[in-house]
Amino acid sequence: MVHSSAQSWQTPFEQGQELVSATYQESIDHYQRLADHYPEISIQSMGLTDVGLPLQLVLISTDTSFDPVENRQAGKRMILINNGIHAGEPCGVDACMMLARDLMEKPELRKLLDHLSIGIIPAYNIGGMLNRGCCSRANQNGPQAYGFRGNARNYDLNRDFIKTDTRNMEAFAEIFQLLLPDIFIDTHTTNGADYPATLTYIATHPDKAGPSIATYMQERMIPELESHMKQSDIEICPYVNAFRQSPDHGISGFLDLPRYSSGYASLFQTMSFITEAHMLKPFKDRVWATYRFLEGLLVHVNQNYQLIGQVIQTDRMATKEQTEFHVSWRLDRNQVDSLRFAGYTAKTKTSEVSGLPRLYYDQKEPYIKNIPFLNTYRPTHTVSKPLAYLIPQSQYRVIHALKVNGVELSRLAKDTTVVAEVQYLVSHHTSEQAYEGHYYHDQLDLQSDTQHIQLIKGDYIVYTNQIRNAYLVHVLEPKSQDSFFRWNYFDSFLMQKEYFSPYVFEDKAAEMLRNDPALKREMQEKVDQDSLFANMSWMQLKFLYEQSEHYEPTHKRYPIFRWFQESPLPLMK
């Protein structure tokens, strides 16, 4: 079907001399008009967001049933593009509006749909996009008006992919698990240093991806994308994460933990990119750089759809059988590579504000040189998966998060006692400053034990024989860097519920010491070694109370259990 007037398909960006970004409603109206005209495009309302409006999903496919399962069975690759997660960074919003149109109207692009289907979230942070203004991005060069970084509840949505505080994330998870994309792209605009590149990118980190995906992306996909951008005369480079004042001294690879979109996607063996258009470049250049990157990705995936499918399927199937998972990492500062980098010379001059030295980048002194590149992350904690996790139904927030992320769950058909591994929190540190609505737990020290656990009918059994094992382990293992425990899901278990009155417990404590010589020796050793303990009767009574039958066994006991027995459990049909 050929439209009679190309002019009528122009976006606000094009109509506004490439200085204007579309409003939320303009964006949705554009896709709706395309969907009304082209059967290959559908726009669907998904779950509600925090602002009360549903998250919209645009699907583009020659299979007009828009069934993700049918698309996968047909051998097509699914690409999901997310825009406006930071609504003040709208390059992808405008680029995707033009891309969707061009996929219909330009034959050379339409043929890319032969072997792939595309999902586009026009604006993820709807509340932020509605909170429109001119000036919240102090360092950004246009557009004339744009949205705000925080969502309707002032959350940064690119920190919410694991903890799932927002309705936005629940709606996103619904979309992600429905499509289970092979490739995911999240479009952004940078903050930070000045340099010639119009676009930088964060790719799934090779130390966190499956081995087949990591090899393919590093050896095939990324070099071909860089070549495509070079042919378009657009300078790109890896995300400039300078570890000193300027990139002259080197940059480090970005550790995309599962709190971030690309880190979340990697848990499901999805190849992912975060594009970061450079804030100081003209808005039109940022939009077109984002467009060309997306175009290059579509070209690459269409040409290599079979191999990409094999690579992803290999890692997804391997995840079902994988027994050990790395769940936290640290940058290896001793592993230094070299990166050919185009930059501007960083200099200092006297500040007119403070009279002190200030940084500036001298664009009259560009350079191209090798700079240090630290891009190796070493695992700091590795866990062996159990046969299954046992989750009491009282942990309904956890259950809900697992469900929206596509995890397969089973439920007990009757009350059952099992022998399982339990974990106690010996010590931890909690941040003093709130971060995205939480006080993050760090420096965890755990102690394991084996106990008989009474489960009741309806409690959940989550077997670790599924392609979502990486997600399961990361959220349920306390020492995972972005576990549910670290994000305060279980803080109620950190508080003791029953205590003792010292004057009453004194007699019981004395009896314990008389009847248990080993306990008496242990207490005497603490008295000899710890002067504070020796002079605090409360501390001594507390020590004995914690050894007594009165001390509650659930205090600081992590309420999700690891189960290893092969014997079958009675499960609901």
Side-chain angles (χ1 to χ4, degrees):
M1 183 179 295
V2 179
H3 200 268
S4 59
S5 172
Q7 177 68 24
S8 66
W9 291 113
Q10 280 200 330
T11 66
F13 169 75
E14 294 165 307
Q15 294 171 0
Q17 299 180 315
E18 301 181 329
L19 300 172
V20 173
S21 181
T23 67
Y24 172 71
Q25 195 58 53
E26 286 171 339
S27 172
I28 300 305
D29 289 346
H30 174 80
Y31 288 111
Q32 187 61 64
R33 290 195 304 118
L34 286 172
D36 291 342
H37 191 75
Y38 291 105
E40 296 90 347
I41 296 182
S42 170
I43 182 167
Q44 302 176 13
S45 295
M46 306 300 285
L48 286 178
T49 65
D50 282 356
V51 79
L53 294 174
L55 196 60
Q56 300 294 326
L57 172 64
V58 176
L59 292 171
I60 306 175
S61 177
T62 55
D63 174 12
T64 54
S65 70
F66 302 104
D67 187 323
V69 176
E70 291 182 5
N71 273 269
R72 284 193 289 271
Q73 291 174 343
K76 290 190 173 185
R77 303 280 69 80
M78 172 57 72
I79 297 175
L80 177 60
I81 307 170
N82 189 43
N83 298 306
I85 188 171
H86 296 150
E89 306 171 15
C91 304
V93 172
D94 299 288
C96 280
M97 291 170 67
M98 295 187 295
L99 182 64
R101 173 201 64 202
D102 292 349
L103 283 164
M104 295 295 98
E105 298 215 320
K106 294 183 177 182
E108 69 274 19
L109 292 184
R110 179 183 274 267
K111 69 181 181 181
L112 299 179
L113 297 175
D114 289 348
H115 302 301
L116 56 87
S117 296
I118 302 168
I120 298 173
I121 297 176
Y124 180 33
N125 182 2
I126 300 174
M129 199 161 176
L130 294 175
N131 185 9
R132 193 171 170 91
C134 66
C135 309
S136 62
R137 299 272 296 172
N139 300 325
Q140 187 167 288
N141 182 7
Q144 292 176 354
Y146 45 82
F148 183 67
R149 186 180 185 91
N151 87 328
R153 294 172 59 209
N154 207 37
Y155 279 100
D156 185 332
L157 293 175
N158 201 28
R159 310 293 186 271
D160 193 41
F161 282 87
I162 276 294
K163 56 188 179 65
T164 320
D165 285 326
T166 63
R167 288 179 176 175
N168 297 64
M169 178 53 204
E170 289 195 21
F172 177 89
E174 178 186 353
I175 291 172
F176 191 94
Q177 299 304 330
L178 172 69
L179 303 182
L180 198 56
D182 301 286
I183 297 95
F184 170 75
I185 309 99
D186 202 2
T187 61
H188 290 249
T189 303
T190 66
N191 292 302
D194 191 12
Y195 41 82
T198 303
L199 190 79
T200 67
Y201 63 86
I202 299 169
T204 302
H205 197 280
D207 291 340
K208 294 174 70 270
S212 300
I213 289 174
T215 299
Y216 182 84
M217 291 187 72
Q218 294 299 310
E219 295 182 0
R220 290 283 301 273
M221 181 178 276
I222 292 174
E224 289 190 16
L225 281 171
E226 290 178 338
S227 176
H228 171 84
M229 297 299 283
K230 187 174 183 179
Q231 291 172 13
S232 300
D233 293 322
I234 298 174
E235 187 89 24
I236 71 169
C237 70
Y239 180 66
V240 180
N241 190 30
F243 53 80
R244 291 187 184 174
Q245 190 177 40
S246 73
D248 303 45
H249 304 290
I251 65 175
S252 60
F254 186 79
L255 179 59
D256 54 340
L257 294 172
R259 70 188 67 174
Y260 305 111
S261 62
S262 59
Y264 169 84
S266 71
L267 295 180
F268 304 96
Q269 294 72 54
T270 292
M271 300 177 181
S272 62
F273 289 92
I274 294 177
T275 61
E276 294 275 2
H278 194 278
M279 62 186 179
L280 296 179
K281 303 300 185 287
F283 181 58
K284 66 175 183 178
D285 293 349
R286 304 203 308 268
V287 172
W288 283 114
T290 303
Y291 180 102
R292 294 301 177 199
F293 185 93
L294 296 174
E295 175 190 61
L297 188 65
L298 300 188
V299 170
H300 176 88
V301 175
N302 185 63
Q303 291 175 345
N304 299 278
Y305 73 100
Q306 289 181 318
L307 182 55
I308 290 173
Q310 293 167 7
V311 164
I312 291 174
Q313 183 70 0
T314 295
D315 281 352
R316 284 182 177 163
M317 291 301 101
T319 303
K320 295 178 66 173
E321 308 301 327
Q322 185 176 337
T323 58
E324 292 193 335
F325 292 83
H326 302 316
V327 294
S328 64
W329 300 264
R330 180 181 295 116
L331 183 65
D332 186 345
R333 296 187 175 275
N334 295 317
Q335 185 67 44
V336 182
D337 297 321
S338 181
L339 177 70
R340 195 73 172 164
F341 181 74
Y344 296 129
T345 302
K347 298 181 177 180
T348 58
K349 60 184 178 181
T350 302
S351 166
E352 294 183 25
V353 176
S354 66
L356 301 172
R358 53 149 291 189
L359 171 71
Y360 76 101
Y361 291 90
D362 190 344
Q363 295 189 3
K364 295 179 181 179
E365 290 191 21
Y367 65 77
I368 299 177
K369 65 181 180 182
N370 291 328
I371 63 171
F373 185 38
L374 279 67
N375 196 35
T376 300
Y377 282 88
R378 304 295 186 191
T380 57
H381 188 69
T382 301
V383 297
S384 298
K385 73 174 185 181
L387 177 67
Y389 291 99
L390 311 177
I391 308 179
Q393 57 198 290
S394 58
Q395 297 302 317
Y396 47 81
R397 187 183 176 200
V398 173
I399 296 300
H400 179 70
L402 298 185
K403 285 180 177 179
V404 298
N405 283 283
V407 173
E408 298 173 14
L409 308 172
S410 301
R411 303 189 76 176
L412 280 175
K414 63 179 182 180
D415 295 358
T416 307
T417 299
V418 300
V419 176
E421 179 185 319
V422 301
Q423 299 178 85
Y424 283 91
L425 186 69
V426 177
S427 63
H428 71 289
H429 175 267
T430 301
S431 62
E432 296 181 359
Q433 296 294 323
Y435 176 77
E436 291 300 320
H438 292 262
Y439 290 85
Y440 183 79
H441 296 316
D442 203 359
Q443 301 175 28
L444 274 61
D445 184 15
L446 300 173
Q447 182 176 333
S448 297
D449 192 13
T450 300
Q451 295 179 2
H452 287 83
I453 301 297
Q454 177 64 51
L455 301 173
I456 63 175
K457 179 180 178 180
D459 283 349
Y460 288 84
I461 316 298
V462 188
Y463 288 97
T464 56
N465 60 350
Q466 48 188 296
I467 63 171
R468 292 172 174 83
N469 277 347
Y471 172 83
L472 261 179
V473 171
H474 275 78
V475 297
L476 296 184
E477 290 292 340
K479 294 191 82 169
S480 167
Q481 215 156 339
D482 267 344
S483 68
F484 284 160
F485 175 82
R486 291 188 188 267
W487 291 113
N488 309 123
Y489 270 53
F490 305 106
D491 282 9
S492 61
F493 288 86
L494 300 179
M495 181 180 177
Q496 191 174 333
K497 294 300 185 288
E498 296 283 6
Y499 294 88
F500 62 92
S501 295
Y503 81 96
V504 176
F505 189 65
E506 278 277 359
D507 295 335
K508 175 65 175 179
E511 182 182 353
M512 290 173 64
L513 292 175
R514 288 194 299 270
N515 295 336
D516 191 339
L519 178 62
K520 185 175 182 178
R521 285 194 300 273
E522 183 180 358
M523 180 167 169
Q524 187 59 50
E525 288 176 1
K526 289 181 68 67
V527 168
D528 294 341
Q529 297 171 4
D530 187 337
S531 60
L532 181 63
F533 183 83
N535 290 284
M536 292 285 291
S537 61
W538 164 258
M539 293 180 67
Q540 295 179 32
L541 288 173
K542 181 176 181 291
F543 168 77
L544 293 171
Y545 175 75
E546 291 175 353
Q547 318 305 314
S548 76
E549 61 186 4
H550 303 291
Y551 182 60
E552 58 203 69
T554 56
H555 181 218
K556 293 191 176 182
R557 187 178 77 179
Y558 184 60
I560 293 175
F561 314 111
R562 293 161 50 87
W563 188 61
F564 293 90
Q565 294 177 325
E566 294 288 349
S567 55
L569 292 172
L571 301 178
M572 292 181 179
K573 301 296 186 182

